[in-house]
Amino acid sequence: MKEKLLLSSYKPLIIIPVVITILCLVLVAVNGLPGSIDLEGGTIAILQLEKPVSQAELESTISTGLGTTEVDVKSISGDQATVEIAGNVDVVKLTEVLAGTATIQSYRSVGALISEEALTQVYYALAFAFLFMSITVFVIFRSVVPSLAVIAAAASDIIIAIGGMSLFGIPLSLASVGGLLMLIGYSVDTDILLTTRVLKEKKGTVTERAMNALGTGLTMTVAAIASMVALYLVVVLFIPAASTLADIAAVLIIGLLADLMTTWIMNLGILRWYLEAR
């Protein structure tokens, strides 16, 4: 009953996702988006610890020894630690700094040129994914307004997810870009489900068809969110060294929560408005 009442007074609600999307754009413009070593360049070292040490102590040791503040101890698991350091670090000097505390197990340095190339490829990947998604949606529905509504909902999901990354300090990396690409797929799934049920089915009123789609769509999205929350908690609590998986899960959780709003408030509102005006 409450859902039907909500669906019957839809027009003012459309503005909510629009405002949140704009706020996320402002947040990213003001706060920026942190980049990973893969995209900004720097050094990743896996260390074998020789004695128990906290993340703060290890970070302080490396920062003081190398004379830089841009040191991030990503994780310490057992006697292993993963450290990211901005810039190209001299491995001999890092070995001297860590003497008595840890030894270097593996070492990888990413130069600025490689990082710039990787970042360009990220932009291309996102642009082409969105372009082909848009073409597919237009081919399926062959109607401008419903197609634009699906594309707008997917775009809002991506923008809100990036805003969440900026807010919570989740770095833009090759892994988190994978999360954003997956989010386009999840977003379009529920939007196409809704649009197909509302436009193609002939039985019942628009509200009844929307309610029918709502049950299936919510099940799909809630199941996806639950699986991502489980993945995030498992990584954080038991395998912190796999922080990349936690970043992907966090991006998807934010984006899927946004999808609940953009699909069932914004997209559905636009569709109802379109059908009433037709």
Side-chain angles (χ1 to χ4, degrees):
M1 195 66 185
K2 288 181 180 175
E3 290 85 351
K4 287 187 178 178
L5 183 63
L6 191 67
L7 289 173
S8 65
S9 54
Y10 62 90
K11 286 182 183 174
L13 299 177
I14 297 174
I15 197 69
I16 296 173
V18 175
V19 170
I20 293 176
T21 302
I22 293 171
L23 288 176
C24 285
L25 281 173
V26 173
L27 177 65
V28 174
V30 173
N31 202 31
L33 190 62
S36 70
I37 293 288
D38 289 334
L39 299 181
E40 289 198 338
T43 301
I44 302 174
I46 308 295
L47 307 180
Q48 181 79 37
L49 300 177
E50 296 177 356
K51 62 181 183 182
V53 61
S54 68
Q55 284 188 240
E57 289 170 338
L58 183 58
E59 205 167 282
S60 174
T61 301
I62 297 172
S63 296
T64 305
L66 295 180
T68 176
T69 57
E70 297 185 75
V71 177
D72 184 12
V73 178
K74 301 296 289 182
S75 66
I76 293 181
S77 179
D79 58 356
Q80 274 198 341
T82 303
V83 182
E84 290 185 0
I85 307 168
N88 194 6
V89 177
D90 184 345
V91 67
V92 175
K93 186 171 182 181
L94 181 60
T95 303
E96 293 172 356
V97 168
L98 292 169
T101 304
T103 55
I104 299 174
Q105 210 170 43
S106 68
Y107 175 90
R108 181 164 67 93
S109 187
V110 180
L113 286 177
I114 295 175
S115 303
E116 190 176 334
E117 179 66 23
L119 195 57
T120 303
Q121 290 177 359
V122 163
Y123 293 144
Y124 276 128
L126 287 172
F128 276 112
F130 215 84
L131 174 65
F132 286 120
M133 180 274 290
S134 304
I135 292 172
T136 304
V137 169
F138 273 111
V139 169
I140 290 173
F141 294 111
R142 298 177 187 276
S143 184
V144 174
V145 173
S147 300
L148 288 178
V150 172
I151 294 166
S156 292
D157 290 347
I158 298 296
I159 291 169
I160 293 172
I162 293 174
M165 290 168 66
S166 175
L167 182 64
F168 296 111
I170 301 169
L172 181 67
S173 64
L174 296 179
S176 58
V177 168
L180 292 174
L181 293 174
M182 290 168 66
L183 183 59
I184 294 176
Y186 276 121
S187 172
V188 171
D189 273 354
T190 51
D191 287 310
I192 287 181
L193 168 73
L194 169 67
T195 308
T196 302
R197 292 276 177 91
V198 171
L199 291 186
K200 306 283 185 183
E201 288 189 357
K202 302 300 179 189
K203 289 177 62 179
T205 64
V206 173
T207 301
E208 288 169 344
R209 281 179 259 160
M211 289 296 295
N212 186 24
L214 182 67
T216 309
L218 280 183
T219 304
M220 291 165 56
T221 306
V222 171
I225 290 173
S227 62
M228 288 301 115
V229 169
L231 173 63
Y232 182 83
L233 292 177
V234 166
V235 171
V236 170
L237 296 177
F238 301 109
I239 44 175
S243 59
T244 298
L245 291 176
D247 289 345
I248 294 174
V251 170
L252 284 171
I253 291 168
I254 298 167
L256 289 170
L257 288 173
D259 186 57
L260 290 173
M261 177 181 61
T262 57
T263 299
W264 305 108
I265 294 179
M266 186 171 77
N267 191 4
L268 178 55
I270 294 172
L271 283 175
R272 291 206 57 182
W273 204 342
Y274 166 72
L275 289 173
E276 287 175 5
R278 198 166 59 170

